Each structure stands twice: as structure tokens, then as C-alpha cells.
Amino acid sequence: MVLKNKSEIISSFLTPAIKFWLRTQLEIEDLTMEIHAGDKQILTGKIDQVSLETTKAIYQGIHVSKAAVTTENIAVNLGGILRGKPLKLLQPIFVRGKLILSHHDIQTSLESKLLHKGLIDLVNLLLKYQQIGECEQILQQYQFFWEKITLQEDKFLLEARLTNSNEKEYNFSLNASLKLKDDHILLFDSIEVTGIPDINDMIIKHFEVDLGEDVALEKLILTSQNLSCFGTIKVVS
């Protein structure tokens, strides 16, 4: 096979390979993509920059209304792609851009296993922070059914229904303000947790969640309509 120029490599091989790889990671609609690569670099599987934009994406049940991201200095298995193999990242990449989740997105995402686990982990961390013993065992006694989230300016109210083995129901709520402390730490203020049987209602002034060194957020904006995030995340194939 003889390839005449980089445009042929991009249009015939790289663009379909990147789109296929993305669709193995998440569900995407209305995808717009631009690939920038130098003549010499592309022959070694090096891509200068890829820009992506979509008006709808779903990652493991997490719904996103809009995403616009850019990543640079990408190394891929070009030889394998030319032979029809799936794209593989040869080194981690750093993706920078913005995500916008509408109120409806977040409400729908409450049904996802990923967000369900994340919220349970948050409640568990809050109980540990209050030095409540055997908090994991306490939470395991109940099933959480996340029912509703209400967004406000820099605040949210999360409501759930708890059931135990006897099918007795309890109303749970978590009310807090949310902002960034720095590029990888979320700061929850004025937290109120109610409705966990055998645990007194909790009021916590400050609580921090470390997102890890692979995340660097520049802005986090919470309004009554949506949650917007701007920043960079490290991605490994």
C-alpha cells in the first residue's frame, strides 16, 4: 500500500480509527473532529493536536450535554492502524477543555452505576470524617435509590430513598455548597446529611475531596441550570 500524503493517512485511517476508539469508550452524537499533524511526525504515529466537540455524550451512564476538548502530542500505533488494527495510545495524553452537564443530565445520571458508587463513597467519607465507627457496615444495611437532585447557585440538594432488609423506607438528603479549593480539590461547605437510621443528622462546615494528580480543574461553575467544568485530565489507553 502506497500512501501519497498525510491527508490520505488522516482521512482514510486516523479519523475512522480515532472515532472507533472513542465509541469504545463512550456513546457520542454529533461529533466534530479536527486532526493536526506534521508531514514527518505523522509517519511515525505522532499527532500534533486533536480537537473534539460533541453536543451529547454518555460515559458509563454519565450524561454530558456538551464537550469541547483538545489534546496535544499524541503517539499512536500508526503501523497497526494501517493494517486495520484498533487505535492504541502509546503514551498517556492530557485532555484539556470543557464539559457541561445540564440539570437533566445529572438527574438522568443518578441511575448510572458509576455515579451511584461515587455518591455512596462520598457519604461513607463524610461518616468517616465525623468519626462514626463501622460506617461501611452501617451503609451496607441499606439500599440507596437516588431519586432527585436540585441545583442552585454553588449549591445542590441530593435526595434518596433508603430501604433495609425488612423493606422499611427512609428519606435521605444531602445538602451542600460546592466549589473548587484548588485545581484538584473539591470543597464542600455547609453540609447537612439527614435520614440515615441510627446516625444523628450531621452538619459539617468544611469537607475536601482530592480528585488526584491526574486532574487539574481551572473552573467549576454550578448554577440552577447546569454544572460546567473547565480543566485538564490525564488519559491512559
Side-chain angles (χ1 to χ4, degrees):
M1 180 186 300
V2 179
L3 299 175
K4 297 180 180 180
N5 52 51
K6 73 171 185 179
S7 296
E8 184 177 352
I9 297 176
I10 291 175
S11 62
S12 300
F13 297 94
L14 279 180
T15 297
I18 292 174
K19 287 184 176 180
F20 179 80
W21 180 79
L22 285 170
R23 289 191 167 94
T24 65
Q25 308 296 312
L26 66 164
E27 300 175 47
I28 307 175
E29 294 184 12
D30 303 322
L31 177 65
T32 301
M33 179 168 57
E34 290 185 9
I35 299 175
H36 302 278
D39 292 306
K40 293 181 180 179
Q41 289 88 344
I42 198 169
L43 294 176
T44 61
K46 302 293 178 61
I47 305 172
D48 296 331
Q49 184 183 85
V50 175
S51 299
L52 304 168
E53 187 168 344
T54 180
T55 55
K56 184 177 180 182
I58 305 173
Y59 175 72
Q60 295 188 25
I62 305 295
H63 291 243
V64 176
S65 280
K66 185 175 182 179
V69 300
T70 299
T71 184
E72 300 177 344
N73 302 319
I74 309 130
V76 299
N77 58 326
L78 181 62
I81 292 170
L82 296 179
R83 296 193 298 272
K85 293 184 178 181
L87 179 144
K88 181 179 180 181
L89 296 177
L90 301 182
Q91 62 189 32
I93 59 174
F94 292 87
V95 179
R96 185 176 187 275
K98 65 179 179 180
L99 300 177
I100 299 177
L101 288 74
S102 69
H103 177 267
H104 177 72
D105 290 332
I106 301 173
Q107 180 67 45
T108 303
S109 300
L110 291 178
E111 300 176 5
S112 73
K113 293 181 179 179
L114 184 63
L115 186 54
H116 176 88
K117 182 181 184 303
L119 293 173
I120 294 291
D121 289 344
L122 175 60
V123 175
N124 187 37
L125 288 172
L126 291 171
L127 296 183
K128 288 183 177 179
Y129 184 75
Q130 291 294 89
Q131 298 182 340
I132 295 174
E134 300 182 346
C135 50
E136 292 182 359
Q137 291 83 347
I138 291 173
L139 293 181
Q140 287 174 0
Q141 298 178 48
Y142 303 96
Q143 283 189 293
F144 280 71
F145 298 91
W146 306 105
E147 296 189 325
K148 183 180 179 182
I149 188 165
T150 304
L151 304 182
Q152 300 177 38
E153 200 78 20
D154 298 325
K155 297 180 180 179
F156 68 92
L157 170 62
L158 182 64
E159 298 173 86
R161 176 169 47 90
L162 274 59
T163 62
N164 60 15
S165 58
N166 296 322
E167 298 186 355
K168 188 171 181 178
E169 295 189 355
Y170 305 88
N171 294 320
F172 169 89
S173 69
L174 193 162
N175 192 7
S177 66
L178 175 63
K179 62 183 71 174
L180 280 181
K181 179 180 179 181
D182 59 33
D183 62 357
H184 64 277
I185 294 181
L186 297 178
L187 177 61
F188 295 83
D189 279 329
S190 305
I191 306 167
E192 299 179 11
V193 179
T194 66
I196 302 177
D198 302 321
I199 295 179
N200 294 330
D201 294 346
M202 297 186 298
I203 297 178
I204 303 172
K205 188 175 181 181
H206 299 293
F207 183 74
E208 298 177 4
V209 173
D210 192 334
L211 299 175
E213 297 298 329
D214 290 343
V215 176
L217 294 180
E218 299 169 16
K219 291 182 183 178
L220 186 147
I221 302 171
L222 182 60
T223 71
S224 60
Q225 301 298 316
N226 54 51
L227 172 65
S228 303
C229 302
F230 303 81
T232 302
I233 186 170
K234 182 179 179 180
V235 176
V236 180
S237 179

